[in-house]
Amino acid sequence: MSNRTTPLDPRLHEYLLGVSLREPAPMRALREETARLPEHNMQIAPEQGQFMQMLLRLMGARRCIEIGTFTGYSTLAMALALPEDGRVLACDLSREWTDVGRGHWRQAGVEERIDLRLGPALETLTGLLEDEEEGRAIWDFAFIDADKTAYGDYFECCLRLLRPGGLIAVDNTLWDGKVADPAVDDADTRAIRQFNESLLADDRVDISLAPIGDGLTLARKRQ
């Protein structure tokens, strides 16, 4: 027994999935299609998608923002966890990648819950903030999984858009362990380190860095 997080080797990871993953068929089909792409490692792990669904259901979330859609697996996970009148505003630059997910969203019956905005995410978020209706603090949840050097800017925009008690989930905050390796000093790693350190001192939010997937930081907006 240990008071540290149990490391997941491949055998234990397969066991974890075998006894806990309840992945709907459209999500599994999308994950398998994405696995054939050279960039497949950009997709979140299936257990992370299910964990995010649990968070949304616990919160009673209705309105979500996603920054970084890729092929839409996390988008689909969130949309399936929302009520019929729920909405995911998904931000991405690539029509090619997001088109992979559209048919699976449709098959799952949640395409109408997803509002895909193609273009620079900061422009989309700035547009929301300037909108008299959308810019009010009415959003429940935000998921940030895009270019790492802009994490701080995305976080600030999302914090303004979220209601008190709303939750921001930030992906890749363990960055395959590189954040803890002083020999690694590329721009993305420096940006994630800086983001992690700034969040630790941010008294506007309650935080937890969960060792799921590649590290998922949860930041709850205080009242």
Side-chain angles (χ1 to χ4, degrees):
M1 299 295 290
S2 172
N3 60 1
R4 298 178 61 181
T5 301
T6 300
L8 291 178
D9 60 22
R11 182 174 64 179
L12 186 55
H13 182 245
E14 285 301 313
Y15 177 81
L16 180 152
L17 296 180
V19 299
S20 68
L21 185 62
R22 298 175 176 177
E23 188 178 39
M27 288 183 63
R28 182 181 182 87
L30 175 52
R31 179 164 61 88
E32 291 175 345
E33 182 173 351
T34 302
R36 297 193 289 269
L37 299 176
E39 305 87 355
H40 62 88
N41 63 331
M42 292 170 57
Q43 186 177 76
I44 66 169
E47 65 270 25
Q48 180 176 329
Q50 184 166 296
F51 178 68
M52 289 166 54
Q53 289 181 315
M54 176 76 78
L55 294 175
L56 294 180
R57 289 171 176 139
L58 287 170
M59 296 174 65
R62 293 181 59 253
R63 298 169 66 92
C64 302
I65 298 169
E66 177 182 61
I67 303 169
T69 298
F70 187 39
T71 62
Y73 183 85
S74 53
T75 325
L76 179 54
M78 289 188 285
L80 284 167
L82 299 180
E84 288 187 7
D85 63 345
R87 176 186 177 198
V88 180
L89 192 152
C91 305
D92 204 276
L93 286 170
S94 172
R95 180 171 296 280
E96 178 184 2
W97 283 343
T98 54
D99 277 351
V100 174
R102 286 182 179 273
H104 300 279
W105 299 346
R106 190 176 308 114
Q107 182 184 2
V110 296
E111 187 178 25
E112 296 302 315
R113 299 179 198 174
I114 299 169
D115 178 7
L116 177 62
R117 306 280 183 94
L118 293 176
L122 280 177
E123 292 182 10
T124 300
L125 295 174
T126 300
L128 287 179
L129 287 166
E130 293 173 349
D131 186 277
E132 184 175 340
E133 177 64 26
E134 301 282 19
R136 295 182 297 121
I138 56 175
W139 298 85
D140 302 300
F141 184 85
F143 179 49
I144 299 175
D145 184 18
D147 49 312
K148 312 312 172 190
T149 55
Y151 265 20
D153 294 329
Y154 295 146
F155 183 84
E156 290 300 322
C157 289
C158 289
L159 195 62
R160 291 175 60 190
L161 289 163
L162 255 62
R163 62 169 173 82
L167 189 66
I168 302 175
V170 186
D171 202 28
N172 303 119
T173 48
L174 290 179
W175 202 225
D176 199 28
K178 289 182 284 189
V179 286
D181 185 349
V184 180
D185 193 39
D186 60 90
D188 285 341
T189 304
R190 289 197 304 271
I192 295 173
R193 286 188 188 122
Q194 182 179 358
F195 175 78
N196 289 341
E197 291 162 8
S198 67
L199 210 58
L200 179 62
D202 194 334
D203 61 6
R204 299 171 298 172
V205 291
D206 302 308
I207 65 168
S208 177
L209 200 173
I212 184 172
D214 192 29
L216 184 69
T217 293
L218 306 176
R220 175 186 175 273
K221 183 176 180 178
R222 290 179 170 173
Q223 302 295 327

